Amino acid sequence: MTQLNGQVVLVTGAQQGIGRAIALASARAGADVGVNYLDDAAAAEALCAEIAALGRRGVALAADVSSPAQSAELVERAVAQLGRLDVLVNNAGIFPRCDFLALTEGDWDSVINTNLKGSAFCAQHAAKAMIARGRSGAIINLSSSAIRGTPLGAHYAASKAGMIGLTRSMALALAPHGIRVNAVAPGLTDTAQPRHGNSDAELAAMGAALPLGRMGQPADIAELAVFLASGAAGWITGQTYHINGGGYLV
């Protein structure tokens, strides 16, 4: 089993879906976890209770990652309450559907600010915290198979494609400090996001159409993220891992 014994992992947007699964998988691997959330304190506290039941510390940390100032405070609070920071998982993201011809500047800015700018500045603040304490570390960015394009998500696809360029650039900039940066690009995964506008039957059909015959589960993504955070991936940086049941082959 991949181990993160004694490490501290901060997961943004961790109150549900893939972020929640990564937080739990990190705790099972031996890490204490900072559980960032935007507006669902009850879900974040419930997750922290599950982490505590696994024998690890979980701390709920409210912050809007689209604000660089709040991102800085988020990292500071995580370090203050958990003692250090070894891993950041940039999971927080939004995907409001919008036809391209109806896309407004506000629609564009809200998605880019949360998904891309938020990840960049969370990573910057996390890296500074690691460097200040003389620590190596790992940063994992969540991209998406939507980089192929989606008619109701030009802003979302752009943000997730940008995440790949951001990952490569950060990997080069932070390698001298011993900080590895990689991206994970999930395909169709059983979370609230694909359930927006799709029935259970439609989702089941989409999953069955994939080469591996099913929709992904958050735990599928979480196990890859924990591997990339661990010493087992110690010579891996600047890479994007597509995890999609064979639906997108690169």
Side-chain angles (χ1 to χ4, degrees), residues 5-27:
N5 290 334
Q7 295 194 46
V8 171
V9 178
L10 173 60
V11 184
T12 67
Q15 75 276 3
Q16 64 179 349
I18 291 172
R20 186 179 189 280
I22 292 173
L24 283 172
S26 298

Side-chain angles (χ1 to χ4, degrees), residues 13-90:
Q15 75 276 3
Q16 64 179 349
I18 291 172
R20 186 179 189 280
I22 292 173
L24 283 172
S26 298
R28 292 190 191 99
D32 295 331
V33 185
V35 175
N36 164 250
Y37 68 97
L38 176 62
D39 55 11
D40 194 342
E45 292 292 353
L47 174 55
C48 288
E50 290 188 58
I51 291 169
L54 294 169
R56 306 308 308 177
R57 290 182 295 166
V59 176
L61 301 165
D64 180 351
V65 299
S66 70
S67 162
Q70 290 194 41
S71 295
E73 293 172 3
L74 170 63
V75 170
E76 289 173 5
R77 284 185 287 139
V79 172
Q81 295 187 50
L82 294 171
R84 57 193 272 190
L85 181 60
D86 301 287
V87 179
L88 169 69
V89 181
N90 273 319

Side-chain angles (χ1 to χ4, degrees), residues 169-184:
S169 297
M170 289 197 307
L172 293 172
L174 298 177
H177 301 285
I179 299 172
R180 299 179 297 102
V181 188
N182 291 290
V184 175

Side-chain angles (χ1 to χ4, degrees), residues 84-169:
R84 57 193 272 190
L85 181 60
D86 301 287
V87 179
L88 169 69
V89 181
N90 273 319
N91 168 77
I94 58 174
F95 185 2
R97 272 60 169 181
C98 182
D99 184 272
F100 179 70
L101 294 177
L103 185 68
T104 68
E105 182 179 7
D107 295 328
W108 176 271
D109 287 348
S110 65
V111 170
I112 297 298
N113 287 349
T114 297
N115 297 6
L116 188 56
K117 184 177 81 173
S119 294
F121 283 97
C122 279
Q124 183 191 72
H125 297 308
K128 286 180 177 179
M130 294 171 190
I131 292 166
R133 288 163 176 77
R135 308 197 66 84
S136 59
I139 296 171
I140 298 155
N141 297 321
L142 268 290
S143 181
S144 170
S145 62
I147 59 172
R148 294 177 296 169
T150 172
L152 296 179
H155 46 356
Y156 180 78
S159 74
K160 292 303 184 177
M163 193 76 85
I164 294 174
L166 177 66
T167 295
R168 292 169 178 164
S169 297

